[in-house]
Amino acid sequence: MKPAERARELFRRHFGTDPVAVASAPGRVNLVGEHVDNFGGHVLPMATGWRTAVAVGPGHAAFRAISEQQGPIQADWPAAPQGHWSDYVAGVASLDSPLTSPWSEGLCAAVASDVPTGAGLSSSAALEVATGFALSAWAGRSIDPAARADLAWRTETGFVGMPCGRMDQIASARATPGEAMLLDCRTLGIESVPVRLDVVIAESGESHALRDSSYADRRRDCDNALAIIRGQLPGIEYLTDIPPARLNEVAGRLPAPLDRRVKHVVNENQRTLLAAQALAAGDVRAFGLLVGQSHNSLRDNYECSTPRLDAIVSAARAVAGVRGARLVGAGWGGSVLVVCDSGAGADVAARLRADATLALPLVSVVEAGGGAALETD
Ligand code: GLA
């Protein structure tokens, strides 16, 4: 059964009534442009076919939520953040017209998902965005995907407290099937690029307990670097304003490790622009080289890789039909993205699954899916 049917069923079983609305939203794979969305850079995500569905209805003065995987929870309404999976649902509902909406009196929600969690594939953005779409339908409002992405991002940063950029929520809300989006995180402008290569995702199964704190540490490094650079170079609003031709000079005046962080951000942004051109031109080889360089920089400059991710990347690069591999998402565990010649993905995935030394829990060929949608009966 699809997540939407499962969420509807779960709602009926647990709450004893039909949901008022059901919506679903996908996880994402970022092809290239990692750790630049907070710094005015460009990213190139596509949606996955894996989706999360949320069914919603009235809650009678309480917040009651149930997830297929995590079980039920009950809390007072309006709900405060609890460091729990249900914060993503409660946060969207609390930030969205808390006093005038139908859910101001309470909320019931049932969640079913195929998006792997903790795998760098944006399971939290999928949950936030799906919740926002379902609530809009319940309130009888028209759904503006850009506004829903913004609400999901404000939930993640303001309610959950993760200082993330805007990529994941925009990809989940606004993706189009068969295409990646070149997203300018400064203007939020989007250009679509058809995905004419095969994408394989190898989940490392590695736990990422330090991801949130390390993510915030790196972001602080970059903010500190920006403050120093602004004192030296006029007209720099974001790190990605540093002209690539002056990068070595600017980085050379920064203390370590800030110099490495800045090198990553500026070069990764350039790589993303080049990669989008290569993808549009169908040049999988050039695209794969940029993906490989991205991993090397994430490992050496942004320092968000792990020995296991590095080992998976090296093994993947040696498989016939592979053009490039890198960690995907925030890093510190999660998954490896493997870029393959068009048509080669299934064989590459089979090779990686059969590699006993890697012992990968899950290897999948991923098609570029569509963004969030309402789910009718
Ligand atoms: C996480 C964040 C995104 C982005 C990536 C790294 O997925 O949610 O905003 O910063 O890490 O590119």
Side-chain angles (χ1 to χ4, degrees):
M1 268 205 288
K2 288 196 327 177
E5 292 163 41
R6 299 193 327 253
R8 195 183 298 279
E9 264 308 304
L10 185 62
F11 193 100
R12 283 188 188 127
R13 243 189 356 259
H14 193 69
F15 300 117
T17 174
D18 281 335
V20 182
V22 183
S24 72
R28 64 96 190 91
V29 166
N30 186 23
L31 295 179
V32 69
E34 218 65 89
H35 290 293
V36 294
D37 62 345
N38 280 312
F39 313 118
H42 293 79
V43 294
L44 192 62
M46 63 179 217
T48 63
W50 291 306
R51 299 180 80 85
T52 295
V54 181
V56 293
H60 313 296
F63 173 49
R64 298 174 65 201
I66 182 162
S67 130
E68 256 182 350
Q69 290 160 340
Q70 324 258 5
I73 177 175
Q74 176 149 0
D76 291 341
W77 189 253
Q82 303 178 62
H84 191 260
W85 66 268
S86 63
D87 286 355
Y88 299 109
V89 176
V92 171
S94 310
L95 296 186
D96 187 354
S97 331
L99 301 178
T100 54
S101 57
W103 50 91
S104 59
E105 299 295 320
L107 172 67
C108 284
V111 176
S113 180
D114 290 338
V115 184
T117 51
L121 302 170
S122 285
S123 56
S124 58
L127 179 52
E128 291 155 351
V129 170
T131 301
F133 270 58
L135 293 179
S136 281
W138 180 7
R141 290 194 223 120
S142 69
I143 292 174
D144 171 357
R148 289 292 130 196
D150 183 65
L151 178 66
W153 175 75
R154 285 188 284 118
T155 298
E156 185 93 38
T157 52
F159 192 87
V160 177
M162 163 76 174
C164 66
R166 290 178 178 270
M167 163 172 71
D168 303 346
Q169 291 78 17
I170 292 180
S172 182
R174 304 186 60 185
T176 39
E179 294 178 327
M181 58 167 78
L182 177 64
L183 169 67
D184 179 341
C185 297
R186 182 180 302 230
T187 62
L188 303 189
I190 291 176
E191 275 173 49
S192 298
V193 189
V195 178
R196 285 180 293 174
L197 43 75
D198 280 10
V199 172
V200 170
I201 288 292
E203 287 177 46
S204 70
E206 197 168 41
S207 104
H208 59 280
L210 293 177
R211 186 180 297 167
D212 288 5
S213 60
S214 309
Y215 185 96
D217 287 349
R218 294 294 181 279
R219 189 164 172 186
R220 206 167 312 114
D221 284 351
C222 289
D223 290 344
N224 290 341
L226 181 62
I228 300 174
I229 294 164
R230 276 185 179 154
Q232 299 171 348
L233 263 190
I236 302 286
E237 190 187 348
Y238 292 104
L239 287 181
T240 47
D241 287 324
I242 299 167
R246 298 192 64 183
L247 177 59
N248 283 340
E249 169 203 334
V250 171
R253 290 200 293 257
L254 293 170
L258 306 196
D259 54 347
R260 299 200 292 278
R261 310 290 187 249
V262 170
K263 279 185 184 165
H264 170 75
V265 171
V266 174
N267 287 332
E268 182 77 355
N269 185 42
Q270 294 303 309
R271 275 191 285 276
T272 308
L273 294 169
L274 292 172
Q277 282 173 16
L279 189 59
D283 189 345
V284 186
R285 196 168 163 276
F287 190 88
L289 287 173
L290 291 158
V291 164
Q293 288 167 11
S294 168
H295 182 79
N296 298 348
S297 176
L298 290 162
R299 180 191 63 205
D300 301 336
N301 294 325
Y302 212 75
E303 294 177 282
C304 60
S305 190
T306 65
R308 174 149 171 82
L309 292 174
D310 293 342
I312 299 169
V313 165
S314 300
R317 284 174 180 169
V319 174
V322 171
R323 294 297 183 173
R326 68 177 195 84
L327 73 84
V328 66
W332 295 286
S335 302
V336 166
L337 157 75
V338 184
V339 169
C340 316
D341 288 326
S342 195
D347 282 350
V348 168
R351 288 279 181 97
L352 290 172
R353 271 182 218 121
D355 189 327
T357 10
L358 293 178
L360 295 164
L362 201 67
V363 181
S364 320
V365 181
V366 178
E367 308 277 340
L374 281 181
E375 301 278 358
T376 44
D377 235 339

